[in-house]
Amino acid sequence: MKIVLATRNRHKVDEIRQILKIYLDGDLYSQIEILDLDNFPAVPEIEEDGKTFVENALKKAKTVYEFTGLCSIADDSGIEVDFLNGEPGIYSARYAGENATDEGNNRKLLKLLEGVPIEKRTATFRCALAYVDGNIEKVFEGATKGKVIFEPRGMGGFGYDPLFVPDGYELTYAEMPKDLKNRISHRSKALQKFAEFLRTYLESKNKF
């Protein structure tokens, strides 16, 4: 079973593959082949103009399915900071501009939170993962609460990972070993639900 991941972000591709290995046993994982948009260079850039993570994820998955004819999954995710009334939210990847880097986005977020005490720096990382295969459209969501710290820490991860400490931990996402982050993150929670769906789908398919 081929599944196309609707992204060219290598960090995201690698992370999703690693997380699915956690939640699908070896036999089931071996039945899927995860491709990405590098395998389909003709697929155009998809404008993320939805008003929610769910809308953006569905648009990306539907578009990729239409171009490839293969089962597609798309993730849209970001961080919502309570003090900033939910910003950057769906604009997380381009918070500092259309061609923003992770570092630029992090700098802007820290600038807007200057002088804000840690107890008021609460935030939620959210992920919506859409699956489309022509017959089925489903969305799986995950969220992890935590706080935005005062300066980046850690060399791992990507995006806002160096600034986010999930509740119950002292390490940022970027400081955590990959296997820990991949079990507690917002994306992991959405992918766990997707893996349960995929397991049921593959097991039912194997009966025939």
Side-chain angles (χ1 to χ4, degrees):
M1 178 181 181
K2 292 183 178 181
I3 301 175
V4 184
L5 179 54
T7 186
R8 293 183 173 89
N9 183 322
R10 299 314 310 167
H11 293 294
K12 190 175 287 190
V13 171
D14 291 343
E15 186 167 286
I16 287 175
R17 283 177 172 152
Q18 290 164 6
I19 294 171
L20 283 177
K21 280 183 181 178
I22 294 172
Y23 294 121
L24 291 173
D25 62 50
D27 287 342
L28 287 177
Y29 188 79
S30 68
Q31 294 179 42
I32 65 173
E33 180 182 359
I34 299 175
L35 306 172
D36 58 70
L37 293 188
D38 284 346
N39 299 107
F40 301 93
V43 177
E45 290 298 320
I46 303 167
E47 184 181 3
E48 298 180 21
D49 54 2
K51 296 181 179 178
T52 65
F53 294 120
V54 170
E55 287 182 9
N56 283 332
L58 274 171
K59 180 180 180 181
K60 289 187 284 187
K62 288 178 182 178
T63 302
V64 170
Y65 172 76
E66 289 168 1
F67 269 85
T68 67
L70 297 171
C71 305
S72 300
I73 57 174
D75 133 299
D76 196 45
S77 54
I79 190 169
E80 298 174 341
V81 180
D82 296 321
F83 184 82
L84 300 177
N85 298 312
E87 288 188 9
I90 59 171
Y91 304 106
S92 292
R94 53 191 187 278
Y95 199 36
E98 284 301 318
N99 299 310
T101 62
D102 289 348
E103 292 78 9
N105 288 329
N106 286 339
R107 282 196 301 271
K108 178 174 180 178
L109 183 58
L110 288 176
K111 182 71 175 175
L112 291 172
L113 290 175
E114 270 187 11
V116 178
I118 192 66
E119 65 270 15
K120 292 185 178 180
R121 299 168 77 102
T122 53
T124 304
F125 247 128
R126 297 192 185 279
C127 173
L129 184 85
Y131 170 86
V132 173
D133 69 5
N135 297 311
I136 299 172
E137 292 181 7
K138 293 184 74 70
V139 177
F140 310 89
E141 297 183 74
T144 298
K145 293 185 177 295
K147 289 186 172 66
V148 176
I149 57 171
F150 299 98
E151 59 183 12
R153 292 198 330 238
M155 301 299 292
F158 58 100
Y160 298 90
D161 286 2
L163 295 179
F164 184 76
V165 176
D167 288 347
Y169 295 86
E170 296 182 358
L171 300 176
T172 66
Y173 269 174
E175 292 176 304
M176 289 180 172
K178 280 186 180 180
D179 61 341
L180 175 57
K181 183 200 170 188
N182 287 345
R183 288 182 182 277
I184 69 167
S185 74
H186 53 300
R187 185 169 290 113
S188 173
K189 292 171 183 176
L191 280 164
Q192 182 176 11
K193 295 173 185 176
F194 171 66
E196 290 168 1
F197 158 78
L198 193 60
R199 181 183 296 110
T200 301
Y201 176 84
L202 290 172
E203 287 174 349
S204 65
K205 196 175 178 182
N206 289 339
K207 291 179 181 177
F208 298 98

